[in-house]
Amino acid sequence: MKNLPLAKVYQLLEPGPVVLLTTARKGRANVMTMSWHMMVEFEPPLVACVVSNADYSFAALTATKECVIAIPARRLAQKVADVGNCSGRDVAKFEKSGLTPLKAKRVAAPLVAECFANLECKVVDSRLVNKYNLFVVEVLKAWIDPRQRNPKTIHHRGYGTFVVDGSTIKLKSRMR
Amino acid sequence: MKNLPLAKVYQLLEPGPVVLLTTARKGRANVMTMSWHMMVEFEPPLVACVVSNADYSFAALTATKECVIAIPARRLAQKVADVGNCSGRDVAKFEKSGLTPLKAKRVAAPLVAECFANLECKVVDSRLVNKYNLFVVEVLKAWIDPRQRNPKTIHHRGYGTFVVDGSTIKLKSRMR
């Protein structure tokens, strides 16, 4: 994994891919599938995300205020669905899914070795957690796997249907 | 435009497409391009979005607490970029872009006739506006254009680069 400049993080999340969110609490790591996230600020990168209080990860995220957002490419789609189909309450999801936790640098939550990008995050605003389960997190450190070239991400349309990245178009733009 | 059940709205936004956001204030309609949005609740559908206070739309959204989120298909990509490249401060963006405003049912902001889906929204939470320009809106009414079949959406990767929806995969899932 190589360092990714924080100013480039939004380019990974703005397109809306399905991601994995990892947490660690009392030595126990967990991973969940997440699609409800968005960029909030370019730099330092802020991300908003919804982690339901019905999810096992909610308690760990609330208690530790740390997580990793990991971005899987298409070849991990089945594992992403598998991770979404069970709860950390019942199973050790890293072991069951065959995903590999790696030690992060700034947070206790693990990176996911198979993902092409990993974002180490801390919770910076919890005001909307009670009402909406909405966390604002800051990306402290970002990693990219240079061996995965032009990874295609997947986007969830509900009930296990995913659309895969297709062609790319470049338009004249003043937008960042 | 046909009615779309509110329970299906998340399936349109969860994949993270670029959208248009319209507002209307003092009889003047405006439209902007937006990529920073996410679902917050299934039903009634709640959506969080970031509208920068540097955007002309910010004042209208803050004052009227109403907007329409319209979802364009790939064939509108150039217009989407054009809309993102100018400000309602300087130009009448509907006229300039050639997009067609249509009267909405529940809000003063207009629908966009060329978009395959239109979501009429009201602001329901402004607590994170001051710090992050983050609005939580509720979708009051949703429209779909049945003539646009299987529309491919576009996703912004920064600086005018968009990825177009590619193939679809269906995996066994207990996820909604």
Side-chain angles (χ1 to χ4, degrees), chain A residues 14 36 85 159 170 174, chain B residues 14 36 85 159 166 170 174:
Chain A
E14 184 164 317
W36 291 8
N85 285 338
Y159 298 104
K170 177 90 182 79
R174 299 196 311 210
Chain B
E14 184 165 317
W36 291 7
N85 284 338
Y159 298 104
K170 178 89 183 80
R174 299 196 310 211

Side-chain angles (χ1 to χ4, degrees), chain A residues 1 20 22 29-31 68 70 75-76 79 83 93-104 109-115 118:
Chain A
M1 300 267 189
L20 299 173
T22 82
N30 191 33
V31 54
V68 166
R75 67 185 174 85
L76 294 178
K79 286 187 194 297
V83 163
K93 289 169 84 172
F94 268 104
E95 286 81 343
K96 189 178 182 205
S97 65
L99 293 169
T100 312
L102 289 180
K103 197 168 163 40
L111 312 179
V112 180
E114 291 81 2
C115 286
N118 279 273

Side-chain angles (χ1 to χ4, degrees), chain A residues 10 14-15 36 40 74 85 125 132 155-157 159-162 164-167 169-172 174, chain B residues 14-15 36 40 74 85 125 132 155-157 159-162 164-167 169-172 174 176:
Chain A
Y10 82 96
E14 184 164 317
W36 291 8
V40 169
R74 189 219 183 286
N85 285 338
D125 201 310
Y132 306 112
H155 306 255
H156 192 227
R157 286 192 174 166
Y159 298 104
T161 298
F162 298 87
V164 184
D165 288 344
S167 57
I169 52 182
K170 177 90 182 79
L171 298 175
K172 198 173 166 185
R174 299 196 311 210
Chain B
E14 184 165 317
W36 291 7
V40 169
R74 188 218 184 288
N85 284 338
D125 201 310
Y132 306 112
H155 307 254
H156 192 227
R157 285 192 173 166
Y159 298 104
T161 298
F162 297 87
V164 185
D165 288 344
S167 57
I169 52 181
K170 178 89 183 80
L171 298 176
K172 198 172 165 185
R174 299 196 310 211
R176 183 170 176 184

Side-chain angles (χ1 to χ4, degrees), chain A residues 168-176, chain B residues 33 76-86 96 154 156 158-162:
Chain A
T168 298
I169 52 182
K170 177 90 182 79
L171 298 175
K172 198 173 166 185
S173 175
R174 299 196 311 210
M175 292 184 282
R176 183 171 175 183
Chain B
T33 298
L76 293 177
Q78 185 62 58
K79 286 187 194 298
V80 168
D82 292 346
V83 163
N85 284 338
C86 60
K96 188 176 183 207
I154 57 174
H156 192 227
Y159 298 104
T161 298
F162 297 87

Side-chain angles (χ1 to χ4, degrees), chain B residues 1 3 7 9-10 21 38 53-54 56 59 62 66 68 74 76 83 108 114 121 125 128-129 146 158 174 176:
Chain B
M1 298 269 188
N3 177 63
V9 163
Y10 81 96
L21 182 132
M38 68 172 176
N53 55 17
Y56 184 69
T62 306
E66 291 182 352
V68 166
R74 188 218 184 288
L76 293 177
V83 163
E114 291 80 3
C121 305
D125 201 310
L128 298 195
V129 171
R174 299 196 310 211
R176 183 170 176 184

Side-chain angles (χ1 to χ4, degrees), chain B residues 13-76:
Chain B
L13 291 183
E14 184 165 317
V18 173
V19 300
L20 299 173
L21 182 132
T22 82
T23 48
R25 191 186 184 193
K26 298 176 183 170
R28 182 179 162 93
N30 191 33
V31 54
M32 64 172 276
T33 298
M34 180 171 80
S35 278
W36 291 7
H37 61 78
M38 68 172 176
M39 290 305 302
V40 169
E41 186 52 88
F42 289 108
E43 199 177 3
L46 299 180
V47 180
C49 60
V50 174
V51 175
S52 167
N53 55 17
D55 290 325
Y56 184 69
S57 301
F58 180 87
L61 183 58
T62 306
T64 67
K65 295 190 176 297
E66 291 182 352
C67 64
V68 166
I69 295 173
I71 311 179
R74 188 218 184 288
R75 66 185 173 86
L76 293 177

